[in-house]
Amino acid sequence: MNKRFKRLKWGACFLLAFALAFSLISSVLGAYSFTSDGIIIARDDGSGFSYDYAPSVIVEGSSTKIWWCGRGSTGNDVVWYSEKIGSGSFSTPSTVLSPSQTWESTHTCDPSVIKGSFTMGGNSYTYAMYYGAADATNMSTKIGVAFSNNGTSWTKYSANPIISNADSIYDYGIGM
């Protein structure tokens, strides 16, 4: 593993810890929405169980891009995305990352997105997303990483998870 990727793993730990701390504070306060300088995340999918948390925001010029965790159409946690240009409205939220590998079959969530220059498998990418995920067998969260050039189509790292702690005594594993 090269030095750049090792540094990215430590950066992911910091970003994930920040996102999880915000999520914990929100749940203690009884709020399932995020409000900050006019950004409000609140979806109602009609199920009666909608929830949204752990936002990651990047502002580039007049564009505000936001990724967050929320309930997906199958009831599992997924990563949602919306974008606003200028003073316009945010686009309709769309799912951009969901469970597709065995180790993340229960949820794929808690995104921490960073912009930079990343190379994986000989391809160059503009964004890296660190995310927490768990399978249905032990619910112990592990950390994965995915890469994108547009923020909506993500390529998961083939050696995911990059951080795991199978010996964790906590229900949420490394995510806790």
Side-chain angles (χ1 to χ4, degrees), residues 22-44 50-55 66 68-70:
F22 176 79
S23 177
L24 177 62
I25 290 168
S26 292
S27 63
V28 169
L29 296 175
Y32 285 107
S33 63
F34 169 74
T35 304
S36 174
D37 196 25
I39 298 174
I40 300 172
I41 299 173
R43 293 176 309 109
D44 181 0
S50 296
Y51 53 85
D52 299 286
Y53 64 96
I66 186 166
W68 71 92
C69 182

Side-chain angles (χ1 to χ4, degrees), residues 85-97:
I85 298 176
S87 60
S89 299
F90 277 94
S91 61
T92 301
S94 60
T95 301
V96 295
L97 197 73

Side-chain angles (χ1 to χ4, degrees), residues 67-84:
W67 299 263
W68 71 92
C69 182
R71 183 178 185 273
S73 61
T74 63
N76 292 344
D77 290 354
V78 298
V79 175
W80 292 87
Y81 172 81
S82 184
E83 181 177 1
K84 175 177 96 161

Side-chain angles (χ1 to χ4, degrees), residues 140-164:
S140 181
T141 302
K142 298 167 182 66
I143 307 299
V145 64
F147 300 93
S148 176
N149 282 316
N150 61 12
T152 58
S153 298
W154 293 89
T155 301
K156 294 177 182 177
Y157 180 53
S158 62
N160 277 338
I162 59 170
I163 302 174
S164 61

